[in-house]
Amino acid sequence: MSETLLYEGKAKKVFTTDDGNVLLHRYKDDATAFDGQKRGSWKDKGKTNATMSAAIFAYLETHGVPTHFVEQVDDTSIKTKRLEMLPVEVIARNVAAGSLAKRLGYEEGTQLKAPIIELCYKDDDLGDPMLNWYHFRELGVSDEDLEFCEELGLKVNGILAPFFDERGIILVDFKIEVGRDENGNLMLGDEISPDTCRFWDKETGEKLDKDRFRRDMGGVEEAYAEMLRRVTEITQRGAVD
Ligand code: TMP
Ligand code: ASP
């Protein structure tokens, strides 16, 4: 198979494949936070992010969400459709944490009355600022695409919040990205992992996501392994039942 490195990011490498419409994403054990100021690495991070993304994309597909997922190739790699990404990060929130807790002056952990969707401009140099529809129109993103993003954020949240609840996890918030395939169809892209979601244990409140790294809490390797276990073990048992 002819693989050419197309892009190397902080946490993954993306390669072309023999099929011009298919890419290979290989997840690394490396992490950064705060726009690259903080760096780290831990064992099996790439495995967790690839395997969890694969399991969740497959689950979302069975619930009517179009995604870029094609197949998991090995522990750390997945194949996806090649997408033209929108310059948008869609954040969905159920519980106040992180930047929303600061923005609203809420204590972290405050349950929101209804899910909140935020749209951010995907631009590292600008720090991915939250923008409104007027700003996005100025940047050339259509109302139709923005509507798709907001609806997708709500739909994915409506499917994944109960999925994680069954696994003893509160889905506090998460970030997704959207792109267009070669036929012009919009769909969910990127990854869904402890890098891009906040997961809190329902019983203990323990954080099981990248905040352990961002906030120097320790136990990050164990937290990722625990999330992988909760997603894959129950998914496999569910498949046998
Ligand atoms: P925030 O509270 O820092 O705005 O983060 C909201 C959610 O988005 C949280 O689940 C982490 C995720 N996120 C990313 O995936 N990438 C990012 O660059 C940032 C800032 C947040
Ligand atoms: N924006 C952060 C980074 O530089 C991502 C994060 O904190 O999750 O990688």
Side-chain angles (χ1 to χ4, degrees):
M1 187 167 72
S2 70
E3 284 180 6
T4 308
L5 182 66
L6 196 63
Y7 159 85
E8 177 158 8
K10 293 163 273 193
K12 71 178 176 200
K13 291 181 180 175
V14 180
F15 299 88
T16 59
T17 67
D18 289 338
D19 183 337
N21 291 322
V22 174
L23 298 178
L24 183 80
H25 299 243
R26 186 164 293 145
Y27 288 89
K28 305 195 283 188
D29 285 345
D30 301 334
T32 65
F34 311 119
D35 298 322
Q37 288 172 51
K38 186 177 170 71
R39 284 165 191 280
S41 184
W42 55 93
K43 190 173 166 291
D44 287 343
K45 174 177 186 284
K47 177 182 167 185
T48 293
N49 288 13
T51 307
M52 206 168 133
S53 289
I56 291 176
F57 284 137
Y59 184 79
L60 288 171
E61 289 274 357
T62 66
H63 286 71
V65 175
T67 81
H68 70 161
F69 180 62
V70 174
E71 61 173 344
Q72 184 163 8
V73 176
D74 58 36
D75 267 6
T76 59
S77 309
I78 64 174
K79 277 190 179 170
T80 73
K81 287 183 189 152
R82 185 175 193 147
L83 303 183
E84 191 72 46
M85 301 306 290
L86 300 181
V88 181
E89 296 196 340
V90 185
I91 295 175
R93 303 179 182 269
N94 299 301
V95 175
S99 68
L100 180 77
K102 287 207 187 83
R103 183 181 297 274
L104 297 184
Y106 280 14
E107 199 178 323
E108 263 208 336
T110 308
Q111 177 68 43
L112 301 172
K113 295 189 189 79
I116 289 178
I117 297 289
E118 298 171 354
L119 301 178
C120 299
Y121 180 29
K122 193 173 163 56
D123 186 314
D124 276 345
D125 294 339
L126 298 178
D128 301 335
M130 187 165 102
L131 301 184
N132 67 30
W133 281 41
Y134 292 87
H135 300 120
F136 277 113
R137 284 180 195 133
E138 171 63 32
L139 294 169
V141 184
S142 72
D143 286 13
E144 216 182 344
D145 288 359
L146 294 172
E147 201 174 323
F148 183 92
C149 286
E150 292 191 346
E151 282 175 6
L152 187 73
L154 288 173
K155 182 164 185 185
V156 169
N157 186 54
I159 297 166
L160 291 187
F163 171 88
F164 283 109
D165 181 72
E166 282 168 22
R167 288 155 178 80
I169 299 290
I170 300 168
L171 179 60
V172 171
D173 56 34
F174 63 89
K175 184 268 300 177
I176 54 176
E177 297 183 21
V178 174
R180 200 172 248 112
D181 72 5
E182 79 277 14
N183 299 316
N185 297 315
L186 285 172
M187 61 190 67
L188 180 62
D190 197 49
E191 68 179 275
I192 296 186
S193 73
D195 275 17
T196 62
C197 304
R198 284 195 173 94
F199 297 126
W200 293 356
D201 184 274
K202 220 161 72 175
E203 302 299 323
T204 64
E206 192 187 0
K207 296 187 196 317
L208 296 171
D209 56 57
K210 195 177 168 188
D211 272 347
R212 300 201 76 85
F213 168 69
R214 295 188 190 98
R215 302 179 187 190
D216 290 321
M217 298 170 76
V220 64
E221 183 182 325
E222 293 76 8
Y224 275 57
E226 177 62 15
M227 281 311 304
L228 180 61
R229 193 186 69 75
R230 298 234 195 156
V231 168
T232 53
E233 278 191 3
I234 300 184
T235 303
Q236 278 158 19
R237 198 173 66 218
V240 172
D241 281 349

